Amino acid sequence: MQPSWLVALSWASLAVGVVSFAVVLADTYLRGHRQPVRVMEIVWLVTVLYVGPAAVRLYWNWGRPEAFSRRRQEGQQQRPRRGIVVTHVSRCGAHCALGFIVAEVALYAVRFDPAEDPMWVGYAGDYLMAVTIAVLFRYFAGPGRSLTKVGQALSSVGRIELLTITVFEVALFAWLTLAHRVVFPEQHLGPDSPTFWFAGQLGLIAGFIAAWPTASWQLGRAQKIEPRRLPYD
């Protein structure tokens, strides 16, 4: 049995994420603040789901299309450096978060248990799923469907996102290992427990923080972490 305070804390943290999700969902679809690049709507919804109110603030300042329109009116022709980094980390983080959710649920369905089975199996599944989702996002982001576009999507992920995704995942895996072995050694952490998702939420936040310097470093080296000009630039 898990301590009641831990279960309550887990549910509370997850509830905050759901409320944050609802705020951005309403702003996007009810208030009509649609993203020029539609895939970014998924990115921001996933980001606020695991980061919570802090990501809502980031969305309001750097992700909302109106924020860029306001900066254009103020004479800023392109997005500031921080806006580019926020977008890049949020996008890579969304890949990792979705990969974590899909892979862990799939592994649970085949009765994988991190308390008994090698944890690297779960980590490999999370990482491969995150990269797969990154490729799918790139593939479906623009018009046209062809084998050539699959190659372009793979190339873009390899050049632009793979390093940030890897750093994000390493931080996530480090926290999950710590959670399973040290923080909650006596607790059963599985997808059927809110504590598991709370631990995953903390790990994803750790990944978001760890990936930020990487994205900033990439941009500082004049690496183009966005493959094309966005409609609001």
Side-chain angles (χ1 to χ4, degrees):
M1 292 292 293
Q2 297 177 353
S4 57
W5 66 267
L6 179 59
V7 174
L9 178 62
S10 299
W11 281 119
S13 181
L14 296 174
V16 169
V18 171
V19 171
S20 300
F21 178 93
V23 169
V24 174
L25 184 71
D27 187 68
T28 302
Y29 296 106
L30 296 183
R31 300 186 66 186
H33 298 296
R34 304 296 300 274
Q35 295 285 337
V37 181
R38 293 294 187 239
V39 73
M40 289 305 299
E41 294 174 0
I42 301 175
V43 167
W44 282 110
L45 288 171
V46 173
T47 302
V48 299
L49 187 61
Y50 70 86
V51 177
V56 175
R57 180 65 181 270
L58 291 176
Y59 163 78
W60 219 260
N61 289 342
W62 306 105
R64 207 165 181 251
E66 281 65 23
F68 300 109
S69 299
R70 184 178 65 252
R71 289 186 173 88
R72 268 206 311 270
Q73 294 171 1
E74 294 171 353
Q76 298 182 26
Q77 297 303 314
Q78 294 186 354
R79 288 188 300 160
R81 174 191 180 93
R82 181 176 296 181
I84 297 174
V85 172
V86 165
T87 301
H88 183 64
V89 175
S90 298
R91 182 169 183 139
C92 293
H95 302 153
C96 296
L98 290 172
F100 172 73
I101 294 170
V102 173
E104 292 297 333
V105 171
L107 288 169
Y108 179 74
V110 297
R111 300 186 181 280
F112 173 81
D113 186 351
E116 299 178 0
D117 300 315
M119 295 186 69
W120 67 264
V121 175
Y123 295 164
D126 294 351
Y127 184 81
L128 291 175
M129 186 57 65
V131 174
T132 300
I133 290 174
V135 173
L136 291 175
F137 271 40
R138 291 282 175 181
Y139 180 78
F140 289 106
R145 303 288 179 265
S146 65
L147 288 177
T148 300
K149 193 174 181 185
V150 172
Q152 293 173 346
L154 286 167
S155 176
S156 294
V157 170
R159 289 183 296 103
I160 300 168
E161 297 182 341
L162 190 61
L163 178 61
T164 306
I165 288 174
T166 301
V167 173
F168 194 110
E169 292 280 1
V170 168
L172 169 62
F173 299 156
W175 161 250
L176 291 177
T177 301
L178 190 66
H180 281 283
R181 304 301 188 202
V182 180
V183 182
F184 309 119
E186 304 299 327
Q187 313 299 327
H188 173 73
L189 296 183
D192 58 342
S193 164
T195 306
F196 173 85
W197 297 109
F198 175 52
Q201 190 179 34
L202 293 177
L204 291 168
I205 292 172
F208 190 96
I209 295 171
W212 190 291
T214 302
S216 183
W217 173 78
Q218 287 182 278
L219 188 60
R221 294 181 68 244
Q223 183 172 347
K224 198 172 183 182
I225 60 178
E226 288 181 342
R228 61 183 180 277
R229 287 176 62 86
L230 298 179
Y232 40 64
D233 280 344

